[in-house]
Amino acid sequence: MERVTVVGGGLAGSEAAWTLARLGVPVRLYEMRPKRMTPAHATERLAEIVCSNSLGGEGPANAKGLLQAEMRRAGSLVMEAATKARVPAGGALAVDREEFSQYITERLSRHPLVEVVREEVAEVPEGLAILATGPLTSDALSEAIRHRFGDHFLSYFDAASPIVLYESIDLETCFRAGRYGQEADYLNCPLTEEEYRRFYQALLEAEEHTPHEWEKREFFEACVPVEELARRGYQTLLFGPMKPVGLKDPRTGKEPFAVVQLRQEDKAGRMWSLVGFQTGLKWPEQKRLIQMIPGLENAEIVRYGVMHRNTYLNAPLLLQETLEFKEQEGLFAAGVLAGVEGYLESAATGFLAGLNAARRYRGLKPVAPPEESMLGGLVRFLATANPKGFQPMYANWGLVPPVEGRMAKKEKREAMYHRGLRAFEEWVASLGMLAST
């Protein structure tokens, strides 16, 4: 019997295998543990959570809350396990790690259409397959993917800058311009000498995230975190990411003392990243510093900067919104390898990759969720984001179209939640997959 191959037994691979099996498609799920362990994992169980026991905040005002609701409607195994293994965590969905992974391992191991194989995969599989190997993809498979698709494949660690929501930027303070009169593709936040001095001092004093042992790394010079640049001297940022040369403020006709540039990250222009501001600072520190920048005093951060061990694809160059590779029909990617951050996001892309591999198995074309849904917005971002300096993404409201009309932020988020969930429910119902709630 021909089986679809799923490589990787994390949340993405487990959800992909479950989705395939639910749709009546036989699947062979490869997980290299325990024959070959990773620096982060402690057990051989599938879907082992290694960094956090949270699947994100709940409720209709929360972006991850919408993705959770969508996954429940889709019949997600990860959400089923989360319900069984839930522990109190305020407004977040948190789980008992051992109970969570044990539940998923048992459900998959007992399914008659799922064969779990404990071996490392060192080559890109032939035939229908899903690559879901996570942030610690083995060196052999990483090299095989690089050889197959070229240097669009990114590895080692994730050096990401914070991303802010466009509607929260003060456009009266920031100005559009490119250096030396080039295309005005950037938003520029000008700083006076005194504003720069205060920002620089605050950056020196900010508290950093302490990495896990397996996350520790040597910096590439092109990816040095902004706090490390600051430690190299007062002038370093002025000759680096905050260089004002060639940028004239149209209101003064002069170059600012320093400038923070923002670059459009998505096709719709709803999300903008701070250019050159990759950072390993703790998230509250990032928020405090960003809101010290003129024009970003009320900035809503939809993705914080990170510096950690990661392995992922440059999704806009390689993947379609269905998560199928552009250059190889029948090969899909899911999870962190596909360019998402977070356990919930990994599971959600596993569901979509499993659904579309099953459709290919049946001779049908792959599909993508509606853009109003959080999963639809996430996979469209992967397929259409700016490939230059592409950064992995997690669920946030900048991924979906805003609702029309003036309303408070909470009210707007709840309207987006209900609109997105309705659209997703109609979509999965049209596919015959709507689960009872």
Side-chain angles (χ1 to χ4, degrees):
M1 182 188 300
E2 181 187 359
R3 292 179 180 267
V4 174
T5 301
V6 178
V7 186
L11 273 73
S14 295
E15 192 68 65
W18 179 255
T19 303
L20 282 156
R22 280 181 58 218
L23 294 172
V25 176
V27 56
R28 182 172 290 118
L29 175 60
Y30 284 91
E31 170 53 54
M32 66 182 183
R33 293 175 291 121
K35 286 188 177 179
R36 181 170 179 181
M37 298 298 289
T38 77
H41 290 84
T43 78
E44 63 184 57
R45 289 193 294 267
L46 303 174
E48 180 184 347
I49 294 179
V50 299
C51 291
S52 167
N53 63 349
S54 175
L55 294 173
E58 294 184 297
N62 194 294
K64 285 182 183 281
L66 174 55
L67 189 56
Q68 291 167 10
E70 292 171 4
M71 289 294 284
R72 288 191 177 97
R73 300 303 194 276
S76 163
L77 176 62
V78 164
M79 295 306 298
E80 182 181 311
T83 299
K84 298 288 186 182
R86 181 167 190 153
V87 296
L93 175 58
V95 299
D96 178 292
R97 300 183 193 188
E98 293 191 7
E99 184 180 350
F100 175 82
S101 60
Q102 186 63 37
Y103 183 88
I104 290 175
T105 302
E106 290 178 358
R107 291 281 276 163
L108 285 170
S109 299
R110 293 173 181 174
H111 199 290
L113 291 178
V114 178
E115 177 189 358
V116 179
V117 180
R118 299 289 183 164
E119 292 179 6
E120 179 182 0
V121 174
E123 298 291 337
V124 178
E126 298 300 323
L128 286 173
I130 299 170
L131 301 178
T133 45
L136 298 176
T137 299
S138 71
D139 292 342
L141 184 56
S142 294
E143 188 55 36
I145 297 173
R146 186 187 297 277
H147 179 74
R148 175 75 63 89
F149 297 104
D151 288 333
H152 302 323
F153 185 69
L154 310 179
S155 61
Y156 300 113
F157 63 90
D158 185 3
S161 300
I163 296 176
V164 300
L165 202 60
Y166 178 77
E167 64 186 43
S168 68
I169 301 169
D170 180 2
L171 300 178
E172 295 295 319
T173 300
C174 300
F175 62 93
R176 280 186 177 269
R179 294 190 191 277
Y180 305 108
Q182 294 173 346
E183 291 293 322
D185 293 332
Y186 294 86
L187 285 172
N188 301 274
C189 304
L191 288 83
T192 64
E193 184 172 2
E194 177 59 23
E195 287 168 339
Y196 174 78
R197 185 193 63 76
R198 290 198 301 267
F199 179 82
Y200 174 78
Q201 190 59 39
L203 188 55
L204 288 179
E205 297 169 357
E207 191 175 358
E208 293 184 71
H209 159 71
T210 303
H212 297 273
E213 195 64 34
W214 57 274
E215 290 182 302
K216 292 180 179 178
R217 70 279 168 187
E218 295 295 329
F219 301 124
F220 300 124
E221 277 303 307
C223 299
V224 176
V226 66
E227 60 270 19
E228 173 62 23
L229 289 175
R231 284 192 286 268
R232 295 180 182 183
Y234 183 79
Q235 297 285 329
T236 306
L237 293 172
L238 296 173
F239 287 91
M242 298 183 73
K243 179 174 66 176
V245 177
L247 289 168
K248 287 187 178 180
D249 187 333
R251 289 158 299 194
T252 65
K254 299 178 181 179
E255 292 178 355
F257 182 81
V259 69
V260 173
Q261 287 196 300
L262 304 176
R263 179 180 61 217
Q264 183 174 329
E265 285 298 317
D266 65 318
K267 189 174 182 179
R270 293 191 290 264
M271 293 181 284
W272 291 68
S273 66
L274 280 68
V275 178
F277 269 66
Q278 55 271 5
T279 178
L281 296 177
K282 290 187 174 181
W283 287 7
E285 297 283 58
Q286 291 187 42
K287 182 176 182 180
R288 180 174 66 87
L289 283 159
I290 287 171
Q291 293 185 343
M292 289 180 67
I293 298 168
L296 301 182
E297 293 90 347
N298 298 306
E300 183 175 346
I301 302 168
V302 295
R303 189 212 196 280
Y304 286 90
V306 293
M307 297 287 295
H308 62 76
R309 174 71 167 87
N310 204 347
T311 306
Y312 64 99
L313 300 166
N314 192 327
L317 296 177
L318 295 176
L319 300 180
Q320 302 178 60
E321 60 189 31
T322 60
L323 299 178
E324 188 173 40
F325 279 77
K326 294 176 181 178
E327 297 181 4
Q328 186 166 338
E329 183 178 297
L331 180 65
F332 298 84
V336 173
L337 186 68
V340 300
E341 281 274 6
Y343 290 123
L344 182 67
E345 292 83 348
S346 293
T349 54
F351 156 73
L352 184 60
L355 167 64
N356 282 329
R359 289 180 66 84
R360 283 290 186 200
Y361 185 90
R362 304 290 187 199
L364 302 171
K365 290 184 178 180
V367 292
E371 64 175 348
E372 297 89 352
S373 69
M374 190 56 63
L375 180 54
L378 183 61
V379 295
R380 280 170 177 77
F381 175 84
L382 298 182
T384 65
N386 188 343
K388 182 179 180 182
F390 171 72
Q391 302 170 10
M393 182 58 66
Y394 48 67
N396 69 81
W397 291 116
L399 294 170
V400 297
V403 292
E404 299 297 327
R406 294 179 61 86
M407 59 187 77
K409 184 167 77 172
K410 184 174 184 292
E411 186 181 1
K412 180 184 292 187
R413 300 297 190 250
E414 290 179 350
M416 294 163 74
Y417 174 98
H418 292 298
R419 179 196 62 183
L421 187 54
R422 282 195 303 271
F424 188 84
E425 287 176 339
E426 291 172 2
W427 178 71
V428 292
S430 72
L431 300 173
M433 297 188 66
L434 184 62
S436 59
T437 58

